[in-house]
Amino acid sequence: MVAAEEKQEQAGGESYHNHHMGTIFKKGFSFSGFERDMLKLSMGDGSYLDISGISGVDSISDGRGAVFADFDNDGDSDIFLVSAQRKAHYLFRNNVGSDRHFLRVELEGRSGGRDAFGAIVRVHTAHGIQTKVKAGGSGFLSQHDPRLLFGLGDETEVARLEVAWPGGESLTLTDLPIDTTIRLTEGQNGFQRVAPPSGTLPDPLGDREEMLARLGIRPGATFPRLELRDLGGQPRSLEATLRPGRKMLLNVWATWCTPCAVEIPELVHLYPELTAAGIDLVGLSVDVDPAADVQGYVARQGMEYPVLMTDSDSLDILYPNGEATVPLTLLLSDQGQVLEIYSGWSKRSAAALEALVKSGS
Ligand SMILES: [Ca+2]
Ligand SMILES: [Ca+2]
């Protein structure tokens, strides 16, 4: 009886997760993402500057835990943020203080565990005293860099460092190096220099790299085989639509896409010129909602070029991350090889398409 109730409860819990929170996140909706992510810069005089937007940390994703650590050991704290909806999380590289000084302190406890939780470290400089307490972590499911990082700014000298160990002992050190890591062990005098491995964090993706990261297609590769239909619902393959000696400009669009509504009239206008330049214009609608009136849209826009339709399995191939970004325009060779990818609709993409016509392909 108890087991049956437990099972029911488990099933209920699973169902809640799968059909409520899970669905919200899978569909890309944000649960608490509109709560702003705050990052403040200490001005050193007791005031703080809000740098949430300019630093890039404020995103509309659902953050579920942030870790503060100097991942590249260059003397400034970087941030790793776990996002609930995206398959990708965020790693924010700190570029602000690369030319500033620091002292990093590792602590090894003896009286109450190696972590020395509860130890208090004070660093004295001409600018004043900085105090840090060695703690296990804070925030939701997060544990930060166990090493204590003291930012020194322009200061090149640490006059004194004091440690109050959890066991009650204390230690005072002078003649300290800077821009390095030192290790202090409870019950021992002096310090050891530590050389943490140096590393570099990757540069952020550029617009094009970010666009390609979302797509299941690569320039130079063959366009994937998709199950397509024509507007009458008859199966059609893209391969059969390719014609020897001619390129294809495949415009991926949707009825719900606002920039597509600006781009499609431009394409309709360019259609005769593209055809004359040896480029066959083909539309590919990614509308998967059966209620979407693709035929009506095509008629209203005067799209006289062939338009194909896709299904959700094909969408997963085109957009493995589950985010269909349209418009997307591809130039294909007569063998179906992807020659060029134009993402979104902008003056730049319009100019690129016009240049394509002028170049006579
Ligand atoms: Ca760093
Ligand atoms: Ca840095």
Side-chain angles (χ1 to χ4, degrees):
M1 186 61 198
V2 172
E5 274 173 9
E6 262 176 15
K7 261 189 190 159
Q8 228 171 22
E9 215 173 85
Q10 275 170 8
E14 224 167 73
S15 155
Y16 172 79
H17 186 79
N18 287 344
H19 296 113
H20 182 62
M21 298 302 289
T23 310
I24 286 176
F25 292 144
K26 267 184 212 151
K27 287 190 172 172
F29 289 113
S30 184
F31 184 65
S32 53
F34 294 101
E35 294 168 15
R36 311 323 311 241
D37 299 316
M38 293 292 288
L39 184 68
K40 293 196 173 188
L41 178 69
S42 167
M43 301 305 286
D45 59 1
S47 70
Y48 291 86
L49 185 67
D50 182 351
I51 57 165
S52 319
I54 200 167
S55 63
V57 304
D58 186 14
S59 82
I60 57 160
S61 73
D62 276 319
R64 284 291 182 276
V67 170
F68 296 81
D70 185 5
F71 291 108
D72 52 357
N73 287 321
D74 67 345
D76 53 32
S77 184
D78 311 294
I79 305 171
F80 184 74
L81 181 72
V82 174
S83 159
Q85 336 23 60
R86 307 262 312 230
K87 287 177 186 165
H89 305 297
Y90 295 89
L91 176 58
F92 297 102
R93 183 181 68 187
N94 188 340
N95 290 341
V96 174
S98 303
D99 55 345
R100 299 307 174 95
H101 300 292
F102 68 95
L103 175 62
R104 188 188 280 112
V105 180
E106 286 185 12
L107 298 175
E108 192 178 316
R110 288 287 158 87
S111 63
R114 280 175 63 91
D115 289 307
F117 289 138
I120 300 166
V121 179
R122 288 195 175 89
V123 165
H124 298 246
T125 67
H127 275 86
I129 307 168
Q130 286 188 61
T131 304
K132 286 185 190 284
V133 180
K134 176 75 186 278
S138 67
F140 183 68
L141 300 179
S142 303
Q143 188 165 15
H144 309 306
D145 199 329
R147 307 165 302 173
L148 303 179
L149 182 62
F150 293 88
L152 302 178
D154 298 331
E155 194 61 64
T156 54
E157 223 167 281
V158 173
R160 197 161 85 244
L161 182 149
E162 296 162 1
V163 189
W165 293 102
E169 278 184 52
S170 61
L171 173 72
T172 300
L173 296 168
T174 53
D175 272 336
L176 290 142
I178 60 160
D179 297 335
T180 190
T181 306
I182 58 170
R183 180 182 292 141
L184 311 176
T185 307
E186 189 173 8
Q188 289 179 14
N189 274 322
F191 60 84
Q192 267 178 289
R193 271 178 187 259
V194 178
S198 64
T200 48
L201 293 178
D203 288 327
L205 295 183
D207 287 349
R208 189 169 170 83
E209 291 167 304
E210 205 163 283
M211 180 264 290
L212 288 175
R214 289 195 298 261
L215 298 178
I217 12 179
R218 288 288 165 269
T222 304
F223 189 80
R225 276 180 173 273
L226 304 178
E227 300 282 330
L228 305 175
R229 306 180 313 283
D230 63 20
L231 289 178
Q234 294 304 307
R236 277 284 289 277
S237 78
L238 198 72
E239 295 81 58
T241 313
L242 292 162
R243 295 197 292 164
R246 294 180 65 81
K247 291 178 183 169
M248 179 191 288
L249 192 68
L250 183 67
N251 176 243
V252 186
W253 64 279
T255 55
W256 43 261
C257 154
T258 309
C260 299
V262 184
E263 182 183 52
I264 286 171
E266 298 271 350
L267 290 172
V268 166
H269 174 74
L270 281 177
Y271 175 44
E273 290 173 68
L274 283 165
T275 307
I279 303 168
D280 293 328
L281 178 60
V282 174
L284 176 61
S285 153
V286 293
D287 284 280
V288 289
D289 182 350
D293 181 17
V294 178
Q295 284 94 335
Y297 190 98
V298 166
R300 277 195 304 280
Q301 291 275 19
M303 298 158 74
E304 288 174 358
Y305 49 89
V307 172
L308 303 175
M309 292 165 65
T310 184
D311 58 17
S312 51
D313 287 344
S314 297
L315 266 192
D316 289 343
I317 297 172
L318 275 183
Y319 303 101
N321 288 357
E323 278 177 72
T325 44
V326 281
L328 175 73
T329 306
L330 309 162
L331 183 66
L332 306 179
S333 75
D334 59 357
Q335 300 297 308
Q337 191 193 24
V338 179
L339 302 175
E340 193 51 77
I341 302 178
Y342 312 92
S343 176
W345 176 247
S346 62
K347 286 212 163 68
R348 203 170 57 182
S349 63
L353 292 181
E354 271 165 30
L356 191 65
V357 170
K358 288 209 182 79
S359 73
S361 78

